[in-house]
Amino acid sequence: MTAKVRKRRRFQIQGIVHGVGFRPFVFNLAHRWKLGGWVLNDSFGVVIEAEGSADALDGFEEALRTRPPVLAQIVSLEVQEIPPRQETRFHIRESTRQARKFTLISPDISVCDDCRQELFDPADRRFRYPFINCTNCGPRYSIIRDIPYDRPNTTMASFPMCEDCRREYEDPHNRRFHAQPNACPRCGPRVWLVDARRQRVPGDPIEETIARLKEGHIVAIKGLGGFHLAVDATNQAAVERLRRRKHRYEKPLALMSDSLQKIAAFAHLNDAEREILTSPQRPICLLPKRHPNPIAPAVSPDNHYFGVMLPYTPLHYLLLREGDFLALVMTSGNISESPIIADNEAIFRQLGEVGDFFLLHDRDIYQRIDDSVVRLVDGRISYIRRARGFVPLPVMVKKELPSVLAVGGELKNTICLNKGRFFFLSQHLGDLKNLETLEFFEQSIVHLQKILEIHPRAIAHDLHPDYLSTRWAQEQSLELIGIQHHHAHIAACMAEKGLTGEVIGFSFDGTGYGPDGTVWGGEVLIASEMDYRRVAYFDRVALPGGDRAVYEPWRMAVAYSCESGLPLEAPRYFPDVRAEEARLVEIALERNLNAPLTSSCGRLFDAVAALVGLRHRVGYEGQAAMQLEASIRPEHRRDNRFYPFALREQTGGWVLDWRPLFAALFRDLKAGVDPGEVSWRFHFGLVKILLTLAHTIREQFRLQRVVLSGGCFQNKILTETLSRHLREAGFEVYYHTAVPPNDGGIALGQAYIASQRIKQGYQGHEISGRIS
């Protein structure tokens, strides 16, 4: 009988293959196909040499490609035939490290079903252990110091494994084989409860924390990527006290419940939202409120949505299940707009007067990371904040590009580094307006460059000269590439969707630096991955009081009304506005004092929200526009009436004139039309004029692709209605589904433009395409 010819193949696999059980998967797969050889982690990914019959090797390769571990993501799999070595046993080798290291790192993943079952099993040795994990779940990015992803390179290095954990760790058939955070009550991290004076509370820390929450206390809870501030979500007095102490008076607070059934008691959710909530990433998902509901009104005042998540750590499950809470408020442990706190000492320095009790643990968080926030738009996920569960997954483009560092904007700052085709957008860092956020910004740059070994050739930055990110870039020794804010928005979506060449870009937000000296924000661009032309914009209006107008929408209502020839008596429309305040705004408009011009679409939304009586002043950015959108009921959307805009042609393009809109809106206000109806007619009128403009641009420039980006496209009604009408008119429509449309995504656009310019030897400059 003739022996089968033995062959040997080398597999080089790149992707999310570290810390996801890939080596034990390969080990068991090789045994199933009776192959010899080995597998190891290196700084690029996973390397396999496998030897056996050709049929067995084919079956092995097919399984690698089509049935990898649940958390793995294979980006490339290269196969090479090599000489056989007559090896019949398969084994796992120690990890190796190359000088030019590069591998993709798994995000932090919520506790899996198997670990959760063990957590509540009295017979299991990890019963009620708050740090239970395996190769399929647990901390990853938040604990990694360097690569390869092995225990000595993580914050678990200080916890030597006991004999039982070591046995699991070394057994390829065990679910915890090479699970780097593997631990148990004997050898792993511990949790304890202290009061505001740092005195330990005697007793079981989980039970004592539950008792304090039920008594109405505020507890700072150290989790996976930082601290949460927690209270019982049904306790109105506790929620109000938390808001006062945190100085967060109106912005909605996140909720955590331990089951979909409990969530359904206070919020509506569909199948797609259930899938998002139960995904391994466990983001906060915006869900419509049920009315009535048992959640304290102070959790999400004047808002139609709750932000809700399921537990993602064993500690969360223990608190919620054993405490039988309907929901806990779990808001980020920080001072508003500063980075989340992750250190046991820092929590007392910064929030020692906010929390009553502090549930601490001794597993260090190396890279703090906040909860991700998403909502469904047009049936697809739309990011509001991209962080835990998704970072550091890259956005992949089609071609290899030179490495750059992009430093983002000011609000919702993120940074982006690319290596070849892979663009790594950092987690949400915060508003870059204070020293704490600047330090986090700098630390994140150093950390990503280190673990990805990226040496950028240039730094891409916003054109605004006063942004801290721009100033930081100017202090570095690398080549600088300035990128216009709204071009970066469009390019971010182009990178996400793999687009090159010219597109029609609707780039709408609150504020962006305009090369013509005005504040941009309602821009229609013909944009490519390297350059842009401004072909249309919303007619300019004064911004009375500058930045104060962002937080006092009544000022914008006065400005638009005056410019439309429809002056109003502010105190009559806005009872909380004093006559002297209104007069100062009128003087500012008359004399052009501290009233820069803006084309902002966001400010237009603010003005309409103020005029219909929804919001005269706001507690956080975008609040007025959110309430304007939320005022629209389903029956309103069946109305075909809309407020008109005018499209005025000028040299080089068009101006979107809002004056006819305000004339019609004032008529409806005098007639007592419902605010929600007014809001819908405004939204629908905006869609109609943008559709007309898209047709006009297509006829003149033969462009078919439309890209929607900028913070205004967090608006579900605007995005869904506009994209539907554009598609029905034959346009190809693209909007964000992988990074936020707000300023949390512009670093990706900056990096994409800058790397393309370097590759193409671009010698041009940012052009304003100014329409005079």
Side-chain angles (χ1 to χ4, degrees):
M1 186 174 179
T2 306
K4 288 187 177 180
V5 176
R6 294 182 67 80
K7 292 182 175 293
R8 190 177 182 94
R9 293 176 190 169
R10 181 180 178 87
F11 301 85
Q12 178 76 55
I13 303 172
Q14 194 172 24
I16 305 294
V17 290
H18 286 186
V20 294
F22 207 93
R23 287 177 297 174
F25 161 75
V26 170
F27 176 88
N28 290 313
L29 187 64
H31 276 262
R32 195 172 309 135
W33 288 99
K34 297 180 172 55
L35 300 174
W38 49 263
V39 60
L40 62 78
N41 278 351
D42 71 3
S43 299
F44 294 91
V46 166
V47 182
I48 306 165
E49 287 194 11
E51 182 171 331
S53 70
D55 288 345
L57 287 168
D58 289 344
F60 176 77
E61 181 180 339
E62 193 271 338
L64 286 177
R65 294 184 184 278
T66 61
R67 297 189 297 279
V70 175
L71 300 180
Q73 293 186 27
I74 295 177
V75 172
S76 66
L77 196 163
E78 298 176 3
V79 186
Q80 178 186 4
E81 294 281 348
I82 57 176
R85 297 180 182 173
Q86 307 308 315
E87 198 169 2
T88 57
R89 293 185 59 201
F90 197 92
H91 58 283
I92 296 173
R93 287 188 175 181
E94 290 293 318
S95 300
T96 64
R97 176 171 175 162
Q98 287 77 27
R100 288 180 62 253
K101 56 185 177 179
F102 176 62
T103 190
L104 300 181
I105 297 163
S106 170
D108 300 295
I109 297 299
S110 66
V111 60
C112 69
D113 291 343
D114 290 333
C115 285
R116 194 163 67 244
Q117 184 173 346
E118 292 171 350
L119 179 68
F120 292 105
D121 180 359
D124 193 276
R125 72 187 189 92
R126 292 185 176 88
F127 175 57
R128 298 184 76 246
Y129 183 55
F131 304 96
I132 189 170
N133 68 86
C134 69
T135 54
N136 298 320
C137 68
R140 299 291 189 274
Y141 182 63
S142 61
I143 64 170
I144 188 169
R145 290 192 173 104
D146 203 351
I147 60 168
Y149 175 66
D150 287 327
R151 196 178 184 102
N153 291 329
T154 74
T155 60
M156 287 297 294
S158 57
F159 297 97
M161 281 181 277
C162 66
E163 291 179 6
D164 289 337
C165 287
R166 173 62 64 181
R167 193 178 306 113
E168 294 169 331
Y169 183 86
E170 294 176 350
D171 179 2
H173 301 287
N174 192 285
R175 197 175 85 250
R176 294 187 170 89
F177 176 72
H178 280 220
Q180 305 307 333
N182 188 32
C184 74
R186 285 179 56 200
C187 64
R190 289 169 171 78
V191 64
W192 65 95
L193 182 69
V194 300
D195 62 21
R197 296 172 298 169
R198 307 197 192 193
Q199 299 298 307
R200 288 213 183 200
V201 176
D204 181 280
I206 304 299
E207 293 176 354
E208 294 300 326
T209 299
I210 290 168
R212 300 309 185 276
L213 288 166
K214 287 185 176 292
E215 290 166 0
H217 290 293
I218 300 168
V219 182
I221 299 172
K222 188 177 183 182
L224 189 67
F227 278 87
H228 286 109
L229 292 169
V231 295
D232 181 348
T234 63
N235 186 327
Q236 175 75 357
V239 177
E240 289 176 342
R241 187 164 56 254
L242 173 59
R243 284 196 176 278
R244 286 195 301 272
R245 291 188 187 177
K246 196 183 177 187
H247 305 293
R248 182 171 172 168
Y249 297 103
E250 296 186 78
K251 201 170 186 179
L253 303 171
L255 297 175
M256 181 182 284
S257 289
D258 70 331
S259 71
L260 294 175
Q261 291 76 18
K262 286 183 178 178
I263 293 172
F266 57 83
H268 297 280
L269 64 167
N270 59 32
D271 288 345
E273 288 158 342
R274 288 186 181 90
E275 187 174 339
I276 290 170
L277 286 166
T278 57
S279 69
Q281 293 78 23
R282 290 288 203 277
I284 297 170
C285 187
L286 300 191
L287 301 174
K289 291 179 178 178
R290 284 191 183 276
H291 295 288
N293 68 72
I295 299 297
V299 167
S300 185
D302 297 324
N303 196 296
H304 290 243
Y305 289 85
F306 287 125
V308 188
M309 58 183 155
L310 286 171
Y312 53 88
T313 72
L315 180 59
H316 295 151
Y317 271 106
L318 289 169
L319 292 170
L320 282 151
R321 290 241 173 125
E322 295 188 359
D324 195 27
F325 294 99
L326 176 67
L328 290 175
V329 166
M330 294 286 271
T331 188
S332 299
N334 62 348
I335 299 297
S336 292
E337 312 311 334
S338 294
I340 189 171
I341 298 166
D343 178 78
N344 287 354
E345 288 299 316
I347 193 69
F348 289 101
R349 286 198 308 271
Q350 298 182 45
L351 294 179
E353 296 183 357
V354 176
D356 298 314
F357 294 89
F358 299 79
L359 186 61
L360 308 176
H361 64 70
D362 54 0
R363 184 179 70 200
D364 288 342
I365 298 168
Y366 189 75
Q367 189 68 2
R368 60 183 128 175
I369 189 161
D370 219 325
D371 296 316
S372 294
V373 183
V374 304
R375 75 183 301 188
L376 273 184
V377 174
D378 211 14
R380 305 173 73 183
I381 193 169
S382 177
Y383 292 85
I384 296 169
R385 183 169 73 202
R386 183 178 180 269
R388 177 190 51 76
F390 301 99
V391 173
L393 294 177
V395 172
M396 287 175 281
V397 301
K398 293 179 180 178
K399 294 182 179 179
E400 299 279 323
L401 292 169
S403 294
V404 300
L405 163 65
V407 294
E410 181 177 64
L411 302 180
K412 303 175 180 67
N413 182 263
T414 59
I415 58 111
C416 185
L417 283 153
N418 77 294
K419 189 159 192 170
R421 296 171 51 219
F422 302 94
F423 283 71
F424 298 91
L425 189 67
S426 76
Q427 70 270 40
H428 168 83
L429 303 179
D431 289 352
L432 204 51
K433 291 184 173 183
N434 53 58
L435 180 61
E436 292 85 4
T437 311
L438 179 62
E439 290 174 348
F440 186 26
F441 164 87
E442 292 175 326
Q443 186 261 335
S444 297
I445 291 171
V446 170
H447 183 61
L448 278 175
Q449 287 186 165
K450 177 183 178 182
I451 64 173
L452 300 170
E453 192 160 273
I454 295 176
H455 304 288
R457 291 176 50 176
I459 299 177
H461 63 87
D462 194 274
L463 295 180
H464 200 301
D466 295 330
Y467 282 178
L468 278 180
S469 56
T470 302
R471 292 180 182 177
W472 183 90
Q474 291 169 342
E475 293 171 357
Q476 311 309 306
S477 58
L478 293 174
E479 175 190 356
L480 298 180
I481 302 176
I483 308 294
Q484 202 282 323
H485 189 92
H486 300 92
H487 184 203
H489 271 307
I490 299 303
C493 191
M494 293 180 70
E496 180 186 318
K497 303 302 179 185
L499 303 179
T500 56
E502 290 188 333
V503 300
I504 302 169
F506 290 152
S507 189
F508 298 162
D509 61 6
T511 300
Y513 186 83
D516 61 357
T518 65
V519 180
W520 286 18
E523 312 310 315
V524 183
L525 312 177
I526 292 179
S528 73
E529 65 274 26
M530 287 197 295
D531 215 334
Y532 74 97
R533 254 192 315 151
R534 187 193 199 195
V535 294
Y537 60 84
F538 285 92
D539 205 356
R540 303 182 188 100
V541 68
L543 198 66
D547 284 347
R548 282 193 67 180
V550 176
Y551 294 95
E552 298 181 9
W554 70 267
R555 291 171 176 264
M556 294 311 305
V558 171
Y560 279 104
S561 300
C562 289
E563 190 62 33
S564 299
L566 301 162
L568 53 81
E569 295 178 32
R572 186 164 67 85
Y573 273 86
F574 316 121
D576 59 337
V577 174
R578 302 187 313 274
E580 52 269 31
E581 275 187 291
R583 182 58 190 148
L584 286 174
V585 166
E586 291 167 3
I587 292 170
L589 292 170
E590 290 167 4
R591 301 179 186 178
N592 196 27
L593 297 173
N594 191 23
L597 294 176
T598 182
S599 56
S600 169
C601 184
R603 302 291 79 82
L604 181 61
F605 274 82
D606 287 350
V608 175
L611 285 169
V612 299
L614 290 171
R615 205 80 214 182
H616 305 154
R617 306 177 195 269
V618 299
Y620 56 92
E621 184 209 10
Q623 185 179 13
M626 289 169 60
Q627 287 189 221
L628 187 66
E629 175 195 355
S631 69
I632 299 171
R633 298 191 297 273
E635 61 267 25
H636 295 148
R637 300 179 71 172
R638 293 191 285 270
D639 186 356
N640 288 322
R641 286 172 289 183
F642 60 91
Y643 295 142
F645 287 74
L647 194 59
R648 198 170 70 241
E649 188 167 3
Q650 293 192 13
T651 304
W654 300 268
V655 173
L656 293 155
D657 188 348
W658 29 258
R659 290 169 183 82
L661 147 73
F662 283 100
L665 187 149
F666 272 102
R667 286 194 296 270
D668 276 356
L669 290 180
K670 290 177 182 177
V673 175
D674 177 80
E677 186 65 47
V678 172
S679 176
W680 168 246
R681 293 175 188 177
F682 164 65
H683 278 77
F684 197 29
L686 186 55
V687 167
K688 287 286 192 179
I689 194 63
L690 295 176
L691 183 62
T692 298
L693 180 58
H695 277 291
T696 305
I697 295 172
R698 178 166 63 182
E699 289 173 8
Q700 183 162 333
F701 295 98
R702 299 291 184 262
L703 296 176
Q704 190 77 8
R705 298 178 296 174
V706 179
V707 171
L708 313 179
S709 190
C712 290
F713 289 106
Q714 289 180 165
N715 183 314
K716 177 182 173 74
I717 289 175
L718 176 63
T719 303
E720 290 179 343
T721 309
L722 178 58
S723 59
R724 185 179 75 251
H725 281 265
L726 286 167
R727 284 193 295 264
E728 289 172 355
F731 290 94
E732 298 173 30
V733 184
Y734 301 90
Y735 51 83
H736 291 278
T737 55
V739 303
N742 60 39
D743 284 6
I746 67 166
L748 172 61
Q750 292 172 344
Y752 191 49
I753 295 166
S755 59
Q756 293 278 4
R757 288 182 178 181
I758 293 171
K759 184 178 179 68
Q760 301 298 328
Y762 176 86
Q763 298 298 319
H765 58 281
E766 288 288 355
I767 55 174
S768 69
R770 181 175 180 179
I771 307 170
S772 57

